Amino acid sequence: MLLKDKVVVISGIGPGLGIKLALLAAEEGAKGVVLAARGAEKLDQAEQAIRERVRAAEVLKVPTDISKPDQCENLISQTVERFGRVDALINSAYTPGDVAETFEEANLPGWRSVFDTNVLGTLQLTQAAVPHMKQQGGGSIVMISSMVTRKPWGNASYASSKGAIAVAAKHLAAELGKYGIRVNTAAMGWMWGTPTESWMKQYSKEQGVPLETLINNVAANIPVRRIPTDDDCAKAALFLASDYSMAVTGALLDVNGGEFMAP
């Protein structure tokens, strides 16, 4: 199993990528799956989904707002107290910002709140985990980024924050490699799952465009000619968290069906 006996912390548990990361980590043999999100209801739903598929999985739920340093410390402290170590940290938590906002109309204080979560929050949680990884002789940190950092389509505050964290990951990889800590980034594109499906159905209703047409239009710009699923993308992130990528650090892995190449 890809993550046999590993303790994996996943931030940003929700109905999309977050819960898929947790489910697959459990299925891949993780010793402990640590779930972090601001809402307790999401954590309960994720735990139930894991229990239904992997009864023996050990799950720790810690309500966490990563923009709060003390909550980041608490998350990692509870993990170490329960399992004794932190083998992998997958930074999936984020706030989307205003998708429709143009830069000329931008509310820059709003950008600050996006950066507080997506950049500083992610780094605060990473900073809390690093001392324990150093003490145990290594670990893996995975940053979840986005294709929009290199292929703009709007939502500049979110894209800029994800670009910042991808650059930070390279610096962390260079600094922490001597401790056996690897830091990599997975750049996601379209992901077919609950969030995307819900958005497309709403857009289809509002614009009077058939759902199938919307899906086909998106898929036409992806070389594999389909929208990757949340499961597809979660598997790539877990590869970076696993020992199968022991020789990989400071890398940015495109997990978007090749769409980043499209003009």
Side-chain angles (χ1 to χ4, degrees):
M1 292 182 175
L2 198 66
L3 296 170
K4 183 175 173 55
D5 297 329
K6 301 288 188 185
V7 176
V8 183
V9 177
I10 303 164
S11 70
I13 297 297
L17 181 65
I19 194 168
K20 296 298 185 180
L21 288 165
L23 283 168
L24 286 167
E27 290 180 339
E28 290 293 342
K31 172 185 176 182
V33 181
V34 183
L35 310 176
R38 284 177 291 186
E41 183 179 356
K42 291 179 180 179
L43 298 179
D44 291 340
Q45 291 171 349
E47 181 183 27
Q48 181 178 353
I50 291 171
R51 297 289 184 213
E52 289 173 356
R53 287 166 61 169
V54 188
R55 290 186 178 275
E58 290 192 58
V59 177
L60 173 64
K61 300 176 296 182
V62 186
T64 305
D65 179 347
I66 65 168
S67 69
K68 311 295 184 184
D70 59 329
Q71 294 190 28
C72 293
E73 291 287 350
N74 177 63
L75 169 60
I76 299 302
S77 294
Q78 286 202 41
T79 299
V80 174
E81 182 178 346
R82 171 79 174 271
F83 298 109
R85 57 190 297 115
V86 181
D87 294 297
L89 168 63
I90 304 179
N91 285 303
S92 184
Y94 74 98
T95 187
D98 186 344
V99 176
E101 180 185 69
T102 66
F103 178 73
E104 286 185 300
E105 301 167 340
N107 170 27
L108 291 181
W111 278 49
R112 184 173 290 113
S113 67
V114 172
F115 271 67
D116 280 345
T117 296
N118 296 359
V119 181
L120 296 179
T122 294
L123 293 177
Q124 284 168 170
L125 182 52
T126 300
Q127 196 171 50
V130 163
H132 300 281
M133 290 184 173
K134 285 175 63 176
Q135 185 176 23
Q136 70 199 25
S140 176
I141 299 166
V142 181
M143 308 295 194
I144 303 298
S145 186
S146 172
M147 179 181 66
V148 299
T149 61
R150 290 176 297 155
K151 187 181 178 184
W153 62 275
N155 202 4
S157 61
Y158 170 79
S160 298
S161 70
K162 287 298 186 178
I165 207 64
V167 172
K170 291 183 179 294
H171 286 266
L172 292 173
E175 179 181 336
L176 300 175
K178 61 188 175 183
Y179 304 114
I181 302 172
R182 299 180 297 105
V183 187
N184 292 292
T185 302
M188 308 301 182
W190 285 95
M191 293 186 288
W192 187 256
T194 300
T196 297
E197 183 177 5
S198 298
W199 178 84
M200 281 198 171
K201 284 181 176 177
Q202 181 65 29
Y203 188 86
S204 172
K205 181 179 179 181
E206 292 175 354
Q207 301 299 318
V209 179
L211 178 61
E212 185 177 358
T213 299
L214 291 175
I215 294 171
N216 290 340
N217 287 345
V218 171
N221 291 317
I222 302 176
V224 298
R225 292 299 185 268
R226 65 179 181 86
I227 302 176
T229 66
D230 291 342
D231 283 287
D232 294 334
C233 297
K235 288 173 183 175
L238 293 182
F239 159 74
L240 292 175
S242 78
D243 289 348
Y244 277 78
S245 61
M246 285 294 286
V248 182
T249 196
L252 188 152
L253 177 64
D254 280 290
V255 189
N256 42 54
E259 188 181 0
F260 77 100
M261 299 185 296

